Every structure is written in structure tokens, then in C-alpha cells.
Amino acid sequence: LNALAIRQSDMGQPREALATGEESVALYRELLELNRDAFLHDLAGSLSNLANSRRRAELRREALATAEEALALYRELVVRNRNAFLPELATCLSNLGMLQGALEQRGEAVATAGESVVLYRELVERNRQAFLPDLVNSLNNLAVSHHAMGNLQQALDNIEEVVKLRRELAGLNRDPSLSDLARSLGALGTILRELDRSAEAAEAFAEGLRLSLPQTKTDLEALLPLALGLFRNYVLNYQTSNLQPDFYLLQEAMRVLGPYLDQQQGGES
């Protein structure tokens, strides 16, 4: 049932996935009463999947309660076997932190995302290639949580590390990672601008825009919102400072984005 719920979710059947996930959890609760050691991991996994299904169905508070229950079980599993279950605990924390942020539980989101980062750092020490993308995503979530609380310096520290690590990932797997790097550069520029560091913000927006423009030409639908957001931020940064823009970059951006500039602003970095 758990595997079926995942397939239903992947196939865009959220209501069916939710019902199947709830049935799976109910059955694993019954099995847990019979043999806790044998079925604890299965129940934790089913709860985690059910939390995701409830989040997709916009049942955020129910998803939060389910994710918190899953977290408690993963903590128990990690005590029993840290090496085996640490990745799942880290993932559960990352998902829980995003739910807390969506529900504006900002302090809790910072703490949860911070713990996820600590665990992924440990996992990266074991296997850098396997877990580096997860560490980057957790650091990004932590930056978002700090930013929501107004902790700009902490958010800056996190997003600077995200950019550094995304550069490493882009070096390993260039094309799929460049848009993520461009998006993170946009986030970096936004925080720098809020800290009144306009010159550094301009450099971040410009680099992100340079990375996104060539990709936008080849994948317009997916990357146009990102490129438009970077362009608008780049222009705004110069309008509110005494800096001079890169006119060649503006010309190239107008050539690629000009027909779409009247679209509703989206994909802000």
C-alpha cells in the first residue's frame, strides 16, 4: 500500500494517494502492536509519505502532525542503528522544517533546518558525492528560515555556502545545476541588497543573469520566470544605488527577455 500511495502521488492522483497512505499507516500501526522491532521502520516510512501526501493536498497542519510523529520514530531508529537510518532522519527533518516554515512557525523551522544541516554535514563526511545535494538543499532551507525571521547575517552566511557548494555541483554536472546556481545567486543578491551592500548584490544578480540567459533560450517555459526575476532585481539594484550597470548585459537581457517583460513578475530569486 505504501508503494502504491507513492505511485499514485507520482501519477498526479493526490486524493487516491492520500487515502492509500492513510490505510497503509493504519495497517502498520496494527502490525507495530504485534512486533515493534520488525515494523517500526515501515511505519516511520508510511507516516513520512502520508505527511507528504497531506502537504500536497494543502492539509498542512495534519501534515505537520504526521511528520512530527514520523520524526519521533526515526529518532528511535537512529538510536538503534545510526549508520543505517541517519539519512532518513535528515530527510524527515528537512521536510518538517519546510512545513513549519509554511505554517509560519519560524523559530521551530530554524531549529529543525539547523539540525538537518548538522546531520547532512555528517553524511557528507561519509559520502560527499551522494549527500552534497541534500546538504545544499538543507542549507538553502535554513537560509530561507533565517531570512523569514529577519536574521539577515545568518541567512547571508548560509546562502554564501549554498552558492559555493552549487558551484562545486555545477562543475560536476554543469547543465542541470546552473539554473540552481543562478537561483541561489539571486537569493544572495537579495540578502546583500537588504544589508545595503549594493555593489556585491549587483555582482550576484549579474552572474545569475549571465548564467540564466543562455539556458532560457533553450528552455523558455521552465527558466523564463527565473531570468525575469534576476533581470528585474538587477535593474532595481541600480535604480536604488549610484552604480553603473553592465550595458552589454542589459542589451543581451533585453534581446532575450524583451518580449516577455510585461508578463506578471514571477520566479523571484
Side-chain angles (χ1 to χ4, degrees), residues 81 137 140 249:
N81 189 332
N137 289 334
N140 190 73
L249 177 59

Side-chain angles (χ1 to χ4, degrees), residues 58-89:
E58 301 296 325
L59 302 171
R60 290 177 177 171
R61 295 201 176 277
E62 294 88 340
L64 179 68
T66 306
E68 288 174 337
E69 184 180 359
L71 177 63
L73 299 185
Y74 279 123
R75 290 195 190 282
E76 182 178 341
L77 287 163
V78 165
V79 170
R80 300 181 180 191
N81 189 332
R82 186 174 185 84
N83 289 337
F85 297 114
L86 193 63
E88 290 170 277
L89 174 59

Side-chain angles (χ1 to χ4, degrees), residues 147 152 156 159 185-205 229-241 243 265 268-269:
H147 187 263
L152 294 183
L156 178 63
I159 202 65
L185 284 162
L188 173 61
T190 297
I191 295 170
L192 287 167
R193 186 175 62 202
E194 291 175 6
L195 288 166
D196 295 322
R197 293 164 61 174
S198 297
E200 294 165 273
E203 292 176 5
F205 289 135
L230 285 162
F231 175 75
R232 290 181 173 121
N233 275 318
Y234 184 65
V235 172
L236 177 63
N237 191 68
Y238 283 105
Q239 289 174 339
T240 56
S241 69
L243 301 169
Q265 187 168 351
E268 288 294 341
S269 303

Side-chain angles (χ1 to χ4, degrees), residues 83-215:
N83 289 337
F85 297 114
L86 193 63
E88 290 170 277
L89 174 59
T91 299
C92 187
L93 283 162
S94 184
N95 292 337
L96 176 60
M98 287 188 287
L99 276 170
Q100 290 167 332
L103 289 167
E104 298 188 353
Q105 297 181 3
R106 293 171 180 167
E108 293 88 341
V110 166
T112 303
E115 185 180 357
S116 177
V117 166
V118 169
L119 298 186
Y120 276 124
R121 289 195 195 283
E122 180 179 338
L123 289 165
V124 164
E125 289 297 316
R126 300 182 190 177
N127 188 332
R128 187 172 187 85
Q129 185 174 354
F131 292 107
L132 188 59
D134 297 309
L135 173 59
V136 172
N137 289 334
S138 287
L139 280 164
N140 190 73
N141 293 339
L142 183 56
V144 170
S145 297
H146 275 305
H147 187 263
M149 290 191 69
N151 301 332
L152 294 183
Q153 187 56 55
Q154 293 94 324
L156 178 63
D157 293 341
N158 296 144
I159 202 65
E160 284 179 332
E161 186 174 2
V162 168
V163 167
K164 177 183 176 182
L165 296 178
R166 286 209 191 281
R167 291 191 197 281
E168 180 180 341
L169 290 170
L172 297 172
N173 191 15
R174 185 173 175 81
D175 289 339
S177 301
L178 281 178
S179 60
D180 291 331
L181 175 56
R183 187 171 286 105
S184 294
L185 284 162
L188 173 61
T190 297
I191 295 170
L192 287 167
R193 186 175 62 202
E194 291 175 6
L195 288 166
D196 295 322
R197 293 164 61 174
S198 297
E200 294 165 273
E203 292 176 5
F205 289 135
E207 184 182 357
L209 188 56
R210 289 189 188 99
L211 290 174
S212 66
L213 287 175
Q215 290 194 309

